[in-house]
DNA sequence: CATTCGATGTCGTCT
DNA sequence: AGACGACGTCGAATG
């Protein structure tokens, strides 16, 4: 990894055109060839970047560029899309290279997959007497997160989201529409739906209710408490 | 901006829990207080980070941490959500600080808004004889990108996307459902829809067709060619 | 290889 | 502040 602090201007040309006027910035050149341009604020996201696979070519600045003080010019080109990032260096303030080695990677806990696992183990927290039939129940338009059966023996499709948005309700609606055409599932009565999320947006709740879909706000920590603590990662 | 290359382990606790085992990484401390942890690959996105507003506290490592070689311990806490990032430093390899000043910011050109402007000027490229009634036609559930009239004088709602996904079809469907309840618009006949995008995904096309919504693939460059070249930014 | 879908999405914009 | 859509979304999993 090479770190360069420099006064520079940057032009990106690809899915859109973008220009960064002359200013002092951090330029990161990673081992995989990728390039990141960071300013001192506006965190997380670089101002400009190029993802791998890409290559960096050192160019001789055009005459007019050189005349206004461009010392170096790097052209970063994406190998597949042809997107380019043109970095014009006016003054290098810092330049250092470091060998970081391979990173062992990030371990995560608490994403939607875990929520699904926990709810699959404790379906009754969604509705009294609900039991699991199967997780990732396959349909022609994708898998239903949880297929359950209620106390009366009727099929219940559960869609799980971390954040319950209008999109999730639309998704569950499409599943229910399809499932209710299946005679095997609807023998005893219509398949109903439960929209389960850690947080449900008001508009999503209104739409779900309007369509006869139940909403369930899920308490992740409480669910985890129900689970065997020895299974926790942290 | 402070740049630290160090052997470190990191733990994030907030919307989820995440752990980074001991390895050599780049730690960026920005002027606004934000912190970014980068490895030498997996570009663009940091492995771990904290967005502003947040504060960094230097802690004395716990005894057991110190005994395994932790020299410094930084706790970054988000001011609002309380999310924390705990960085344990085992060895500092590089440490430098730089004054970058304020960045003038990024200038962008050429996204969906531009596409909408171009199509508003050339609605006939979507369908023979189509004319614009108004852009951003207001409805109770949000503005319709373009409201047009076809050769027969019937109302046509146009939804514009850069990438035509299933979500866009759902959105247009909701608009059409609402618009078709308006007597003023449906006097001559039902309001129809056109789903316009630079690229339309197969599933979206199927859904749109199934609902009687026309699809139009838009050629951005050709449209720009129709436009006055002197209006271009680049 | 293409496609789909989640994300500590992030970011702008408007109510 | 909350809601909503766009994003150079990115990135992983999957067929």
């Amino acid at each position: 990894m090479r770190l360069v602090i420099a006064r520079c201007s940057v032009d990106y040309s690809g899915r859109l055109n973008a220009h960064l006027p002359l200013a002092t910035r951090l330029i990161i050149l990673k081992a995989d060839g990728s390039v990141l341009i960071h300013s001192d604020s506006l965190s997380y996201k670089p101002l400009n970047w190029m993802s791998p696979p890409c290559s960096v070519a050192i160019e001789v600045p055009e005459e007019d560029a050189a005349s206004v003080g461009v010392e170096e010019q790097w052209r970063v080109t994406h190998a597949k899309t042809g997107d380019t990032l043109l970095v014009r260096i006016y003054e290098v303030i810092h330049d250092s290279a470091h060998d970081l080695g391979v990173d062992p990677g990030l371990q995560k806990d608490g994403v939607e997959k875990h929520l699904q696992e926990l709810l699959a183990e404790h379906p009754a927290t969604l509705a009294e007497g609900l039991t699991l039939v199967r997780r990732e129940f396959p349909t022609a338009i994708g898998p239903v997160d949880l297929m359950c059966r209620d106390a009366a023996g009727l099929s219940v499709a559960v869609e799980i989201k971390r954040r319950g948005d209008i999109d999730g309700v639309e998704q569950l609606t499409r599943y229910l529409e399809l499932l209710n055409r299946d005679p095997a599932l609807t023998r005893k009565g219509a398949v109903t739906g439960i929209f389960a999320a850690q947080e449900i947006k008001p508009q999503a709740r209104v739409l779900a209710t309007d369509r006869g879909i139940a909403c369930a706000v899920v308490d992740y920590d409480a669910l985890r408490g129900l689970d065997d603590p020895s299974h926790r990662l942290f």
Side-chain angles (χ1 to χ4, degrees), chain A residues 11-89:
Chain A
D11 284 274
Y12 166 76
S13 180
R15 275 166 285 193
L16 57 72
N17 295 314
H19 175 69
L20 281 174
L22 178 60
T24 306
R25 302 190 179 89
L26 166 65
I27 306 165
I28 303 175
L29 296 124
K30 290 197 177 186
D32 58 12
S34 56
V35 179
L36 285 73
I37 316 281
H38 269 277
S39 72
D40 208 347
S41 61
L42 306 159
S43 92
Y44 177 70
K45 238 181 126 165
L47 289 167
N48 240 325
W49 71 94
M50 188 61 76
S51 307
C54 63
S55 59
V56 182
I58 312 293
E59 294 186 345
V60 178
E62 302 92 343
E63 222 171 275
D64 54 346
S67 70
V68 295
V70 176
E71 294 193 347
E72 292 182 45
Q73 187 166 306
W74 302 341
R75 184 180 296 274
V76 189
T77 308
H78 193 272
K80 290 186 175 175
T81 62
D83 292 14
T84 60
L85 198 67
L86 187 62
V87 185
R88 291 197 172 92
I89 311 270

Side-chain angles (χ1 to χ4, degrees), chain A residues 15-233:
Chain A
R15 275 166 285 193
L16 57 72
N17 295 314
H19 175 69
L20 281 174
L22 178 60
T24 306
R25 302 190 179 89
L26 166 65
I27 306 165
I28 303 175
L29 296 124
K30 290 197 177 186
D32 58 12
S34 56
V35 179
L36 285 73
I37 316 281
H38 269 277
S39 72
D40 208 347
S41 61
L42 306 159
S43 92
Y44 177 70
K45 238 181 126 165
L47 289 167
N48 240 325
W49 71 94
M50 188 61 76
S51 307
C54 63
S55 59
V56 182
I58 312 293
E59 294 186 345
V60 178
E62 302 92 343
E63 222 171 275
D64 54 346
S67 70
V68 295
V70 176
E71 294 193 347
E72 292 182 45
Q73 187 166 306
W74 302 341
R75 184 180 296 274
V76 189
T77 308
H78 193 272
K80 290 186 175 175
T81 62
D83 292 14
T84 60
L85 198 67
L86 187 62
V87 185
R88 291 197 172 92
I89 311 270
Y90 289 73
E91 183 193 358
V92 174
I93 293 157
H94 171 97
D95 190 345
S96 63
H98 310 272
D99 184 11
L100 267 55
V102 177
D103 201 281
L106 190 66
Q107 296 161 19
K108 286 185 185 183
D109 171 47
V111 281
E112 185 185 313
K113 196 171 72 169
H114 297 128
L115 206 59
Q116 192 191 111
E117 287 164 10
L118 287 168
L119 287 173
E121 284 177 43
H122 309 286
T125 58
L126 292 170
E128 187 76 31
L130 204 70
T131 55
L132 181 71
V133 174
R134 84 165 277 192
R135 264 176 67 190
E136 303 283 348
F137 181 88
T139 80
I141 54 170
V144 175
D145 287 340
L146 302 182
M147 184 56 79
C148 299
R149 196 151 286 151
D150 67 12
L154 294 169
S155 292
V156 180
V158 180
E159 176 64 33
I160 301 166
K161 293 283 173 197
R162 223 165 46 74
R163 287 168 121 145
D165 226 328
I166 212 162
D167 285 2
V169 180
E170 295 285 16
Q171 198 180 333
L172 180 52
T173 303
R174 288 195 297 273
Y175 288 139
L176 288 170
E177 211 174 317
L178 194 73
L179 295 168
N180 275 307
R181 292 183 204 161
D182 184 342
L185 287 169
T186 54
R187 207 177 310 134
K188 292 191 175 180
V191 181
T192 54
I194 297 179
F195 187 54
Q198 285 183 273
E199 178 202 345
I200 294 180
K201 295 281 175 70
Q203 280 209 348
R205 182 180 292 275
V206 168
L207 186 64
T209 307
D210 184 60
R211 293 181 177 173
I213 293 168
C215 290
V217 175
V218 177
D219 185 332
Y220 181 72
D221 291 329
L223 267 179
R224 207 158 53 164
L226 291 178
D227 223 38
D228 183 351
S230 67
H231 287 166
R232 294 187 213 171
L233 259 172

